[in-house]
Amino acid sequence: MFKTLLLVIAVATSGLAFYPRWRATHQAPPQLTVRYKAGSPATTVVAQPWLEVVNTSGKRVLLSDVTIRYYFTGDGASSYAFNCVQAAVGCSNIAGETVASADPTTTADRYLQIGFTTGAGSLAPGAKSGAIGLQLYRPDGRRPDQLDDRSFNAADTTFQASRTVTAYLRGAHVWGDEPTGPAGSTGRAAASAQDSSVPRPRPAHPRGIVFDDFHYSGPDDPALHAHGWLVRTSPGGPGIHDTWSAAGVSFPAEKAAVGGQVLQLRASTDGTKASTKQAEVQSSGTNFLTGTYAARIYFNDRPTSGRNGDHVNESFYTISPNNSRYSELDNEYMPNGGWGAPGPRLDTTSWYSADAGDRVTHKLVSSLQGWHTVVITAVHGAATYSVDGHKLFSSGGKYFPHQNMSINFNTWFVDLPFTGPRAWDMRVNWFYYKADKAQSLADVQKAVNDVHDSGTHYVNTVPGHCPCFPDRPDQRSDRP
């Protein structure tokens, strides 16, 4: 009897020992799986995590209900930024932010949180989101060190399921292992109520807009070109010919800017052509015609360094190829004037022919030192220019654009009137375009705020709009 009892106890104990393994092998599959691959080495200028969401549940999943967290260490940096290089669902539908963890660990004191707008669609059971190529970088230009980053794995050169990247479905943790804090709690458990709440839906962006708040790591950032921009290094004018350089293009942090970064265009010289560097960023395609063009720009009346007095030109304009259907809409700010005319002044000009000098123009004689929102509307045969909501003038007839145009921002010298080193900076916070519709300053600002509030840094929802044309020389000639 005693032996029989021992046998029963042993069998029962053995069954209990095997139960956890049995239960583990019979658990329902996770609702989501996140796959990861490393797109850059451990020490690099820009970290490049690639992510992919897989619906491993038996039900359709809205991507707008999904949140992903990629964990890393800040290495003492005050801020980090991210951008989307490419995504099967479209970078316009990728939203995100970098967050300081509420429960930091030695390998995860921050995370990059990625979400989706409703425009990203849904995943059927077993379906994948497709690759999402991201970049994580320091706006101060210093190199991040990924060796101690929790979610980084240099060995993952192809997509692999990664449990160091976590996923949430309608706020519930459904994939991955959250970092364990010093007291053994998880970052999720220690997070604030707001952090752990169900994310609010991010609506799809309106059709027919292009927006960019210039979240890039530098002039050679692949996302810059992927989003339809080129840094000009080609020869030609305007200004001091053949002096266009990428050296003057940067994207520094700026507390006063929406999104926290700006495009900075620096023109520098010591008064000789050999030392002169002018800066321009232009759209890589001529896909813009009728609609609203807007940019928030910081105009400078004084050089960043060196002696004042240059005939410098700080410009935002649209331009088409130089042929029989030439089109150009200009905003040129010259704090010290140029071509024999005094400054400060803003020339707003509609061109019919640059070769013949056929244009109509308006001169605003006033200092524009500081931030301003510059808007051009081109609809129903009239091109109208305004600054901060104040109309300057309108043009029509043959001066209305007839051909698709590119977008251009640049800083350049009309001439070199004296010697000595100096540098001039123009900054651009954001660019916005609404196809085929005139919008007021209030409409523009609301659209920009809506995009910014969604956490998206770049949007392009213009049908058929793409960066389709290679780099080309600027067709503008020097002219008063």
Side-chain angles (χ1 to χ4, degrees):
M1 177 70 179
F2 180 71
K3 290 182 178 180
T4 302
L5 181 60
L6 287 175
L7 179 62
V8 170
I9 293 172
V11 171
T13 303
S14 174
L16 289 172
F18 281 105
Y19 174 71
R21 267 186 286 171
W22 176 88
R23 186 172 69 173
T25 59
H26 288 78
Q27 279 183 335
Q31 296 180 69
L32 297 173
T33 296
V34 179
R35 287 156 45 91
Y36 158 85
K37 73 173 180 178
S40 60
T43 302
T44 181
V45 175
V46 179
Q48 296 177 321
W50 287 76
L51 303 174
E52 183 177 60
V53 180
V54 184
N55 180 4
T56 42
S57 74
K59 298 180 180 179
R60 182 172 289 275
V61 170
L62 294 174
L63 278 171
S64 57
D65 288 337
V66 175
T67 305
I68 310 169
R69 288 182 177 178
Y70 176 92
Y71 299 90
F72 65 100
T73 54
D75 301 321
S78 59
S79 65
Y80 268 77
F82 92 99
N83 61 37
C84 172
V85 181
Q86 66 180 74
V89 298
C91 284
S92 298
N93 293 312
I94 301 295
E97 60 182 333
T98 58
V99 181
S101 176
D103 190 15
T105 74
T106 56
T107 61
D109 58 19
R110 301 188 185 211
Y111 54 85
L112 170 59
Q113 180 161 286
I114 295 297
F116 303 84
T117 74
T118 55
S122 62
L123 298 179
K128 303 173 183 177
S129 67
I132 302 167
L134 303 171
Q135 294 193 135
L136 186 62
Y137 61 92
R138 294 175 57 158
D140 62 12
R142 296 185 180 181
R143 290 172 173 260
D145 181 4
Q146 300 184 87
L147 278 174
D148 57 353
D149 289 357
R150 174 176 174 80
S151 296
F152 174 75
N153 186 357
D156 289 345
T157 56
T158 59
F159 276 112
Q160 305 292 331
S162 174
R163 295 202 63 84
T164 60
V165 181
T166 56
Y168 307 84
L169 186 61
R170 293 182 295 280
H173 177 202
V174 296
W175 170 260
D177 303 320
E178 293 173 320
T180 301
S185 63
T186 65
R188 187 67 178 175
S192 66
Q194 180 181 3
D195 184 50
S196 60
S197 62
V198 177
R200 60 183 176 84
R202 297 179 174 90
H205 298 294
R207 296 279 283 174
I209 70 169
V210 175
F211 171 84
D212 203 322
D213 66 2
F214 299 107
H215 267 58
Y216 302 106
S217 59
D220 56 352
D221 190 331
L224 185 66
H225 189 270
H227 295 170
W229 298 106
L230 288 174
V231 176
R232 184 179 176 194
T233 57
S234 58
I240 312 306
H241 282 225
D242 310 334
T243 62
W244 300 97
S245 170
V249 176
S250 61
F251 300 90
E254 172 63 68
K255 289 182 179 180
V258 170
Q261 274 186 268
V262 294
L263 162 62
Q264 180 170 282
L265 298 163
R266 171 169 292 182
S268 61
T269 187
D270 68 3
T272 66
K273 179 177 179 178
S275 73
T276 301
K277 292 180 174 63
Q278 301 183 139
E280 178 175 321
V281 168
Q282 60 188 38
S283 63
S284 55
T286 54
N287 306 97
F288 301 88
L289 186 57
T290 58
T292 298
Y293 302 83
R296 184 172 184 245
I297 302 173
Y298 189 95
F299 293 115
N300 253 319
D301 282 354
R302 298 175 295 276
T304 305
S305 62
R307 173 185 164 190
N308 201 348
D310 274 306
H311 300 136
V312 69
N313 196 310
E314 303 165 25
S315 305
F316 161 45
Y317 60 95
T318 67
I319 190 171
S320 71
N322 192 7
N323 58 25
S324 59
R325 294 180 63 78
Y326 181 77
S327 301
E328 183 179 344
L329 304 173
D330 274 0
N331 292 280
E332 296 185 354
Y333 182 64
M334 290 168 281
N336 295 315
W339 297 298
R345 75 174 196 267
L346 174 71
D347 288 358
T348 48
T349 307
S350 299
W351 289 81
Y352 178 71
S353 171
D355 293 337
D358 190 353
R359 83 278 192 190
V360 288
T361 191
H362 174 274
K363 299 182 186 302
L364 173 65
V365 181
S366 176
S367 170
L368 292 180
Q369 171 70 38
W371 287 106
H372 299 278
T373 301
V374 180
V375 177
I376 309 171
T377 60
V379 294
H380 308 308
T384 301
Y385 301 77
S386 66
V387 174
D388 299 330
H390 301 291
K391 179 181 174 181
L392 301 180
F393 94 117
S394 293
S395 60
K398 68 178 183 178
Y399 301 105
F400 188 79
H402 303 284
Q403 187 181 59
N404 283 4
M405 301 173 289
S406 64
I407 306 302
N408 299 257
F409 297 97
N410 59 20
T411 307
W412 50 281
F413 297 107
V414 174
D415 51 31
L416 300 175
F418 58 90
T419 59
R422 62 270 194 189
W424 288 81
D425 290 331
M426 166 185 166
R427 282 171 275 172
V428 184
N429 186 178
W430 48 257
F431 167 74
Y432 169 83
Y433 171 70
K434 173 63 176 177
D436 304 325
K437 184 177 180 181
Q439 291 189 311
S440 67
L441 176 63
D443 294 332
V444 168
Q445 194 60 61
K446 181 181 184 305
V448 169
N449 291 342
D450 287 347
V451 174
H452 177 251
D453 291 346
S454 77
T456 306
H457 298 303
Y458 165 77
V459 175
N460 184 350
T461 61
V462 178
H465 183 102
C466 65
C468 306
F469 293 83
D471 196 1
R472 67 204 187 287
D474 195 309
Q475 299 297 326
R476 301 199 326 166
S477 59
D478 291 344
R479 72 272 171 163

